[in-house]
């Protein structure tokens, strides 16, 4: 019986119009609040990711290649005793974190050596992207002429 009374009141055009307006206002308010919430969440997560990227991009400390650290790398690569090495690092020419240039001496013969990423050591010819031999130019610059070519 009560349901029939409810349906009769809904059949009135004024009640229908007011009900439509009220439901529309509630729907628009809910949609606007959801849009604001999603916009806030997206902005918050973007800001957090930028902060995280900034924190991971800055290195904790910059490594400096000293004669001792270069000697440790060379001795480790050549499997020599660090306390009594046969190959001695005499000079660090370029102290770069990615590619460092050093001068090593073994049996009174000097050579140009390269240390990559502060852990790998090699001697030999190194060419740049234009094809110039960097090892030969450094040997000429530092008067190292004991290589047999």
């Amino acid at each position: 019986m009560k349901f029939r009374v409810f349906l009769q009141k809904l059949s009135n055009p004024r009640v229908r119009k007011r009900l439509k307006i009220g439901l529309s206002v509630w729907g628009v308010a809910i949609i606007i609040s959801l849009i604001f919430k999603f916009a806030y969440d997206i902005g918050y997560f973007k800001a957090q990711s930028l902060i995280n990227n900034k924190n991971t991009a800055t290195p904790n400390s910059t490594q400096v290649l000293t004669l001792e650290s270069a000697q440790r790398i060379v001795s480790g690569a050549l499997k020599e005793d660090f306390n009594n090495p046969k190959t001695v690092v005499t000079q660090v020419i370029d102290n770069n974190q990615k590619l460092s240039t050093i001068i090593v001496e073994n049996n009174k013969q000097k050579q140009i050596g390269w240390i990559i990423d502060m852990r790998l050591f090699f001697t030999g010819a190194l060419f740049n992207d234009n094809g110039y031999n960097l090892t030969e130019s450094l040997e000429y610059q530092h008067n190292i002429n004991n290589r047999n070519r």
Side-chain angles (χ1 to χ4, degrees):
M1 175 124 182
K2 297 222 176 200
F3 187 68
R4 199 176 301 165
V5 173
F6 181 73
L7 284 178
Q8 280 179 342
K9 287 186 179 184
L10 281 181
S11 65
N12 189 345
R14 271 199 268 164
V15 173
R16 276 190 186 171
K17 187 175 180 182
R18 288 179 185 161
L19 188 61
K20 285 180 185 178
I21 290 172
L23 289 176
S24 297
V25 168
W26 273 103
V28 169
I30 289 171
I31 290 173
I32 288 174
S33 65
L34 285 175
I35 289 173
F36 281 133
K37 176 160 180 17
F38 288 137
Y40 173 78
D41 288 345
I42 290 171
Y44 176 77
F45 288 123
K46 278 188 179 180
Q48 281 301 111
S49 68
L50 288 175
I51 289 170
N52 292 341
N53 288 343
K54 183 180 176 186
N55 288 342
T56 57
T58 57
N60 294 341
S61 64
T62 56
Q63 294 178 334
V64 177
L65 187 69
T66 61
L67 281 175
E68 289 179 5
S69 60
Q71 185 63 52
R72 283 192 186 277
I73 294 169
V74 170
S75 296
L78 299 176
K79 295 186 169 106
E80 294 178 353
D81 182 23
F82 173 71
N83 296 326
N84 190 13
K86 295 177 185 173
T87 306
V88 178
V89 177
T90 58
Q91 183 181 355
V92 176
I93 297 172
D94 185 14
N95 191 354
N96 189 347
Q97 196 168 2
K98 292 290 182 187
L99 181 67
S100 301
T101 311
I102 59 173
I103 296 178
V104 293
E105 186 174 343
N106 188 359
N107 296 332
K108 296 186 180 181
Q109 290 186 339
K110 292 184 177 182
Q111 282 185 316
I112 299 292
W114 305 91
I115 295 178
I116 301 173
D117 287 334
M118 298 292 196
R119 59 185 165 188
L120 298 174
F121 166 73
F122 77 96
T123 58
L126 179 71
F127 296 91
N128 68 358
D129 55 349
N130 293 329
Y132 295 116
N133 191 339
L134 299 176
T135 305
E136 282 184 3
S137 65
L138 284 171
E139 285 175 348
Y140 179 75
Q141 185 178 5
H142 292 279
N143 296 327
I144 301 173
N145 296 322
N146 56 5
R147 273 200 169 180
N148 296 331
R149 291 186 219 262

